[in-house]
Amino acid sequence: MYFDKDQARGVEATFLWLIEEIGELATSLRSGTHEERLGEFADVLAWLATIANVAGVDLSEAVAKKYGSGCPGCGKFVCTCPSSEKP
Amino acid sequence: MYFDKDQARGVEATFLWLIEEIGELATSLRSGTHEERLGEFADVLAWLATIANVAGVDLSEAVAKKYGSGCPGCGKFVCTCPSSEKP
């Protein structure tokens, strides 16, 4: 939807937009309505997808590769790693 | 996959993990390999989804609502808003 603009802007400048949206998401989690949170989550995901596009990364491939076979730690789809471990 | 742990941790503590992964994503964009970037994009998206789950937000609904009918500014699926406007 925004690829031409995003590519012209470049990864670094686009990253700033992501961080701005991360800040707005934090605000909405603290004091926003459910509707405002919906909007802010959408914006963060949109900027993340944008940066991935510009960087030549397929987000679906990325998630499938890391989490498609379950938790990278224990291999289960409902994680059974000890709580002391990341995450 | 991580809902029980995430819910017990709460939104604020989970947000810190998101920010840590945002930092790792920045590092991978600066100096990482394509494989490392795949992993970091997956991690950021995973933590974003985690926070959405804990906050009771459906990420798919959020994106569909904001971007499902095209750019919120111009209504087009390939944005035609002036470059001076956000985004």
Side-chain angles (χ1 to χ4, degrees), chain B residues 69-81:
Chain B
S69 305
C71 169
C74 64
K76 304 278 173 59
F77 278 100
V78 177
C79 171
T80 58
C81 294

Side-chain angles (χ1 to χ4, degrees), chain A residues 1-2 5 9 11 15 17-19 21-22 24-26 29 34-35 37-39 41-48 51-52 55-59 61-63 65-67 70-72 76-79 81-83 86-87, chain B residues 1-2 5 9 11 15 17-19 21-22 24-26 29 34-35 37-39 41-48 51-52 55-59 61-63 65-67 70-72 76-79 81-83 86-87:
Chain A
M1 194 183 294
Y2 300 108
K5 285 185 183 180
R9 188 191 299 117
V11 167
F15 206 89
W17 282 102
L18 172 66
I19 299 304
E21 293 298 341
I22 288 278
E24 293 179 9
L25 175 62
L29 287 170
H34 182 74
E35 289 301 303
R37 290 175 187 178
L38 279 176
F41 272 107
D43 285 344
V44 169
L45 184 53
W47 284 106
L48 187 67
I51 296 171
V57 165
D58 181 327
L59 263 189
E61 179 198 349
V63 171
K65 193 163 185 173
K66 182 130 190 194
Y67 295 104
C71 169
K76 303 279 172 59
F77 277 101
V78 176
C79 171
C81 295
S83 290
K86 182 181 176 183
Chain B
M1 192 181 293
Y2 300 108
K5 284 185 183 180
R9 190 191 297 117
V11 166
F15 206 90
W17 282 102
L18 172 66
I19 299 303
E21 292 299 339
I22 289 278
E24 292 179 10
L25 175 62
L29 287 169
H34 182 73
E35 289 300 303
R37 290 175 187 178
L38 280 176
F41 272 106
D43 285 343
V44 170
L45 184 53
W47 283 106
L48 186 67
I51 295 171
V57 165
D58 181 327
L59 263 189
E61 179 198 349
V63 171
K65 193 164 185 173
K66 181 130 190 192
Y67 295 102
C71 169
K76 304 278 173 59
F77 278 100
V78 177
C79 171
C81 294
S83 290
K86 182 181 177 183

